[in-house]
Amino acid sequence: MSKQIRKIGVMTGGGDCPGLNPVIRAVVRTAVLKYGLEVVGFRHGYHGLYHNNTVPLTLDAVSGILPIGGTILQSSNKDNLFAYPFPENGQTVYRDVSDVGVENIEKNGIDAMVIIGGDGTLTSARDFARKGVPVVGVPKTIDNDLASTDYTFGFDTAVSVASEALDRLHTTACSHDRIMVLEVMGRYAGWIALAAGIAGGADAILIPELPYDINKVADVLLERKKRGKNFSVVVVAEGAKSTDGKMHVSKVIADSPDPIRLGGIGTKIAEELEALVGLEARATILGHIQRGGTPSSHDRILSTRYGAAAVELLMSGTFGHMVTLKGDNMCSAPLEEVIGKNKGVDPDCELVRTAKGIGICFGDE
Ligand code: F6P
């Protein structure tokens, strides 16, 4: 029988994401109103856990945050306490300081933790669970690339923003006889590009899971030109790569759990298509716009369900798990099974087949 839970800790790690505040709100409201627990937040993700930077999370503290983007707890996509960087003799050495995190959890009288994050943050959550900390994870990322759950929160909002961007780019494409290329985020997965491309009526969608041949994309755009369609709209995932190419790395952030930052492929594709199709082309890199701002109502509901389910899981004594969505049900999966598995788009899934069936080009055939 595990120890009775009276006080829980909450933290948000990794990049910000629409829906973080609704999760925090649901955790606090469920914990306080349903179970009479106390809740404390660690600020700036694992950085706050290391430095014991806490804030009481009362009902008042979470009042009014449902529609607000970002996270009231702030976040960090660095600060891995299992390999924490220290400067030493002009170099950086990495040490395991996770015991400090455990001490701070105990010092605050916290009986269990809700850790909200993507693969990097949840990898450390799993490692804390291995050290015996009662932990529940909540799957956050606009990329929708976490295994064991149908959808992560934040994805729906990112897709809505990207779809709206495609609608807006369509007007310039039509008015100026241009090819408009939209580069979206998603890291190594093409979920945002695929969903936004279908919702926004793209003529071509390029995703990492289906390496493209630019000549095949150009052929489809030339075919449209022949039919009198002197414009086209292309959406490309930041992680897309050609059949003989590599992903475009824009930056390396040395002390981040995943140091690679992708970006820039949209510009290359616009240049190549302009030359091959003979229409002017422009690239738009949507960037962090798709991650910021108010969450969609879908994400507010999903985040609320995730937050509430996380507390229920802790109260049932199920630790070391992540809350998941399976069909229409809230379930859970062991963090051990979730971590390190990138959930990419299945190139033969129904959504890809449907898109191909209505004539959207993926540059692969
Ligand atoms: O994982 C979310 C995400 O927005 C990715 O889609 C993107 O590749 C990355 O984070 C950007 O990270 P940063 O905010 O560090 O530039």
Side-chain angles (χ1 to χ4, degrees), residues 15 77 141-143 185-187 238 253 261-262 288 291:
N77 56 7
T141 170
I142 61 165
D143 305 335
M185 284 183 164
R187 228 180 263 262
E238 62 181 357
I253 314 281
R261 293 295 177 275
L262 300 167
H288 294 80
R291 219 166 80 180

Side-chain angles (χ1 to χ4, degrees), residues 294-315:
T294 189
S296 66
S297 42
H298 176 94
D299 273 334
R300 293 181 199 189
I301 296 166
L302 183 59
S303 301
T304 300
R305 294 174 75 193
Y306 272 144
V311 176
E312 296 296 349
L313 217 54
L314 288 182
M315 295 312 284

